[in-house]
Amino acid sequence: MPGKSVVILISGSGSNLQAIIDASKTDASINIVGVLSNRADAYGLQRATDAQIPTAVIDHTLYSDRLSFDQAMMAQIDAWNPDLVVLAGFMRILTSEFVSHYEGRLINIHPSLLPKFKGTQTHARALEAGESEHGCTVHYVTEELDAGAPIIQAATPIVAADTVESLIDKVHKLEHQIYPLAVSWICSERLKSRDDGIALDDELLGPSGFRFIG
C-alpha cells in the first residue's frame, strides 16, 4: 500500500531531496509523487529522474508577478494531489495565497536554530553574534517568515576554528539527517498538529520542536 503522497520543491542541487529519496527507499510511508523546480538546470531534477520520480519545471521568469507564478505552481502541485509539500532549497518567496492553500501540509528547513536568525546569511550572523552553537530547524510554513511551528531541530557546536564555509558543511549534514526524519514522522502519522501544539507519538513537543542529537 503506497504511503503519503509527497511533492518536493527545489531550485538547485537537491541534496535534501536526495536525502528524502534515500529515506523513501526503506520507508514505505513516504511516496514522492513529484519534484518541481523553478529552474530547468537544477541538478535535483536529475536526481528525481534517476529515482523515476515525475518532474516539472515552472520558470518564474515567464510570469509577470509572484501570484501568477504561484498559481501555475499550485495547478501542477495539485495535479499530483499531495498530502505533504516539502520546500527543499526552493529559492522563491511564496505568496500568502500559496501558503494558505497548503496550510498544515507545507514544511521547510531553515539553517538556524529558530527563532534565532530568521531570514538569510544565518551562518555569518551566528558567528558574528558569538553563538556557542548553530544548526537547523524543520518547521511548518506560515505567512510570517520562518515563524511556523518547529518540528525538529539539530545543533552543532561552534568552535574557534569555524568559518562560514565550515558551518555550512556541518549544518548541511544535520539537514540531511533531520529532514527525512520529519517527513517520515508526518507521513507515518506519528507527528500530528493539535489544538494545543505539535505532538510526536502523542507527546506534545516544546516550543523548539524535537531536539535531535546526531
Side-chain angles (χ1 to χ4, degrees), residues 10-110:
I10 62 168
S11 293
S13 70
S15 63
N16 273 313
L17 164 66
Q18 187 64 59
I20 298 168
I21 289 173
D22 291 345
S24 72
K25 293 175 182 176
T26 56
D27 187 339
S29 73
I30 303 172
N31 178 28
I32 305 172
V33 296
V35 171
L36 185 150
S37 176
N38 64 308
R39 296 176 57 95
D41 61 351
Y43 181 65
L45 293 170
Q46 186 60 52
R47 295 181 190 270
T49 299
D50 290 345
Q52 298 183 313
I53 297 167
T55 63
V57 175
I58 299 180
D59 184 348
H60 63 276
T61 65
L62 302 179
Y63 296 84
S64 59
D65 53 57
R66 283 183 182 151
L67 181 56
S68 58
F69 169 64
D70 280 8
Q71 287 172 336
M73 285 203 301
M74 287 159 61
Q76 176 59 66
I77 294 167
D78 288 351
W80 282 321
N81 194 27
D83 298 299
L84 180 67
V85 178
V86 177
L87 304 177
F90 185 70
M91 304 304 291
R92 301 296 300 170
I93 295 173
L94 299 168
T95 60
S96 58
E97 286 84 355
F98 185 98
V99 172
S100 63
H101 184 70
Y102 297 107
E103 184 177 1
R105 54 188 176 126
L106 179 63
I107 63 173
N108 189 28
I109 191 161
H110 182 73

